[in-house]
């Protein structure tokens, strides 16, 4: 089989000759390079850093994504990730969901970020506190976080003057459907619980 190329194309191929390469060898090397490029997964980056990004993404449920493609184009889209939890495999969800079909789409990189217009103040300490309180409320972590910190935490002192645990009181603005799931909640939307000793330092930061 014979393939004709014009002089300018042949001169470009000549510049890529290594040693005693034949035109066939040069062309095959170019094809190999193209195929390897196509099978390299896109580079992912996150703002803030990955573990903080997941925490904020689960709380806010939304992120901004900038996608760069092989043809030099850029696409800015919104990712609604309402089904993610704090235990989710972030990258696994990206590959199987948001960036599914990245080869065919020609994606070479993607930058994921939480916009400053969303709640950017949810710290690691807030997360640990909510983990503890959600367990005592017998709510899922996501359900507890949906209450948007509309509660007051205080120490509960027993009649003898000793620390008898902690009291949590929820505000009227809280989602009533979530509060209905808290078995020990009284009419004042509060209840007292006994925390473990390793939880005290975390909870005391918020009192």
């Amino acid at each position: 089989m014979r393939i004709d190329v014009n002089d300018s194309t042949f001169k470009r191929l000549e510049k890529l000759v290594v040693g005693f390469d034949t035109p066939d060898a040069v062309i095959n090397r170019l094809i190999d390079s193209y195929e390897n490029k196509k099978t390299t997964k896109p580079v992912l980056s996150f703002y803030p850093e990955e573990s903080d990004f997941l925490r904020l993404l689960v709380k806010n449920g939304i992120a901004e994504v900038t996608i760069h493609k092989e043809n030099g184009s850029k696409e800015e889209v919104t990712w609604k990730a309402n089904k993610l939890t704090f235990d989710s495999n972030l990258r696994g969800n990206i590959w199987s969901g948001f960036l599914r079909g990245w080869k065919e789409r020609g994606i070479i990189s993607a930058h994921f970020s939480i916009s400053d217009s969303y709640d950017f103040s949810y710290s690691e300490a807030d997360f640990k506190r909510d983990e503890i309180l959600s367990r005592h409320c017998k709510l899922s972590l996501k359900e507890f976080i949906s209450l948007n910190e509309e509660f007051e935490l205080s120490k509960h002192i027993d009649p003898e003057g000793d620390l008898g645990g902690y009291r949590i009181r929820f505000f009227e603005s809280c989602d009533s459907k979530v509060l209905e799931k808290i078995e020990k909640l009284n009419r004042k939307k509060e209840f007292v619980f006994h925390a473990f000793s390793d939880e005290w330092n975390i909870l005391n930061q918020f009192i």
Side-chain angles (χ1 to χ4, degrees):
M1 179 179 181
R2 177 178 175 177
I3 299 176
D4 294 321
V5 297
N6 60 38
D7 291 341
S8 61
T9 301
F10 189 78
K11 287 179 180 179
R12 292 179 66 189
L13 286 173
E14 283 184 321
K15 294 178 180 179
L16 301 176
V17 171
V18 177
F20 297 98
D21 270 349
T22 62
D24 182 74
V26 175
I27 292 171
N28 271 287
R29 189 163 62 249
L30 291 172
I31 293 172
D32 289 341
S33 176
Y34 175 79
E35 290 179 343
N36 288 335
K37 182 179 180 181
K38 289 290 286 184
T39 57
T40 300
K41 277 189 173 183
V43 175
L44 305 184
S45 59
F46 302 89
Y47 176 77
E49 68 93 20
E50 197 164 334
S51 60
D52 291 332
F53 174 85
L54 176 60
R55 185 176 67 249
L56 292 169
L57 177 62
V58 173
K59 187 173 193 300
N60 293 301
I62 196 167
E64 308 302 326
V65 188
T66 302
I67 295 173
H68 294 271
K69 298 188 176 182
E70 286 179 329
N71 61 10
S73 65
K74 181 174 71 173
E75 182 181 353
E76 295 184 353
V77 295
T78 298
W79 180 23
K80 294 182 179 180
N82 297 320
K83 294 183 179 180
L84 284 183
T85 70
F86 293 99
D87 297 321
S88 295
N89 182 327
L90 176 60
R91 288 178 178 258
N93 275 273
I94 289 173
W95 296 128
S96 63
F98 191 77
L99 291 185
R100 181 182 298 170
W102 58 266
K103 292 181 184 179
E104 294 76 14
R105 295 161 64 188
I107 297 172
I108 58 174
S109 69
H111 178 68
F112 296 80
S113 64
I114 302 295
S115 170
D116 290 338
S117 62
Y118 301 117
D119 184 357
F120 211 77
S121 62
Y122 194 57
S123 68
E124 185 69 23
D126 294 326
F127 172 64
K128 290 179 179 179
R129 174 204 60 194
D130 289 352
E131 275 192 317
I132 294 169
L133 295 179
S134 64
R135 287 198 300 270
H136 288 288
C137 291
K138 295 184 179 179
L139 296 173
S140 71
L141 183 53
K142 200 160 187 178
E143 285 175 327
F144 189 85
I145 289 174
S146 73
L147 298 173
N148 292 317
E149 301 185 50
E150 295 293 321
F151 60 83
E152 179 181 61
L153 184 66
S154 60
K155 292 180 181 179
H156 174 66
I157 307 301
D158 65 23
E160 297 180 358
D162 297 323
L163 176 62
Y166 294 87
R167 182 189 306 275
I168 184 169
R169 181 176 67 85
F170 294 97
F171 302 152
E172 292 294 333
S173 54
C174 290
D175 187 337
S176 59
K177 292 183 179 179
V178 176
L179 294 185
E180 287 173 0
K181 297 182 179 182
I182 304 176
E183 297 176 0
K184 298 180 181 180
L185 204 64
N186 63 23
R187 292 182 178 179
K188 296 181 179 180
K189 293 184 171 58
E190 63 181 18
F191 77 91
V192 173
F193 64 94
H194 295 276
F196 297 106
S197 58
D198 61 345
E199 298 174 338
W200 294 347
N201 288 337
I202 296 170
L203 296 179
N204 288 344
Q205 296 179 61
F206 299 91
I207 295 175

